[in-house]
């Protein structure tokens, strides 16, 4: 399912779903909620494929675990 397909500005941080300037587990929880409710921001397209779905959640978790 594709929720949106737009470009981000230079100030946007991929994965910072809750806009707190960090990428952590709270972003994962919020992204899950947004996907189920069809209202995710542009920065939720973590893998930059033009769709916001479970692939973005997987990539976000990988980013968090690698830090």
């Amino acid at each position: 399912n594709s929720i949106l397909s737009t470009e981000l500005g230079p100030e946007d941080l991929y994965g910072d779903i809750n806009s707190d300037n960090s990428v952590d587990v709270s972003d994962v929880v919020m992204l899950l909620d947004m996907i189920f409710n069809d209202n995710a921001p542009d920065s939720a397209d973590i893998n930059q494929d033009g769709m916001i779905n479970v692939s973005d959640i997987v990539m976000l978790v990988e980013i968090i675990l690698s830090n």
Side-chain angles (χ1 to χ4, degrees):
N1 290 339
S2 173
I3 295 173
L4 54 88
S5 178
T6 57
E7 293 186 30
L8 296 179
E11 71 282 354
D12 293 311
L13 174 64
Y14 281 101
D16 184 17
I17 308 305
N18 62 7
S19 300
D20 66 353
N21 293 318
S22 68
V23 179
D24 55 30
V25 71
S26 63
D27 296 299
V28 174
V29 172
M30 185 172 272
L31 179 55
L32 282 166
D33 181 59
M34 290 177 160
I35 287 174
F36 287 123
N37 292 306
D38 273 349
N39 68 348
D42 297 349
S43 60
D45 186 13
I46 312 300
N47 63 5
Q48 301 178 27
D49 67 354
M51 298 180 295
I52 299 174
N53 53 32
V54 70
S55 298
D56 298 298
I57 294 170
V58 170
M59 183 169 250
L60 180 55
V61 170
E62 289 176 1
I63 290 168
I64 292 168
L65 293 176
S66 71
N67 289 330

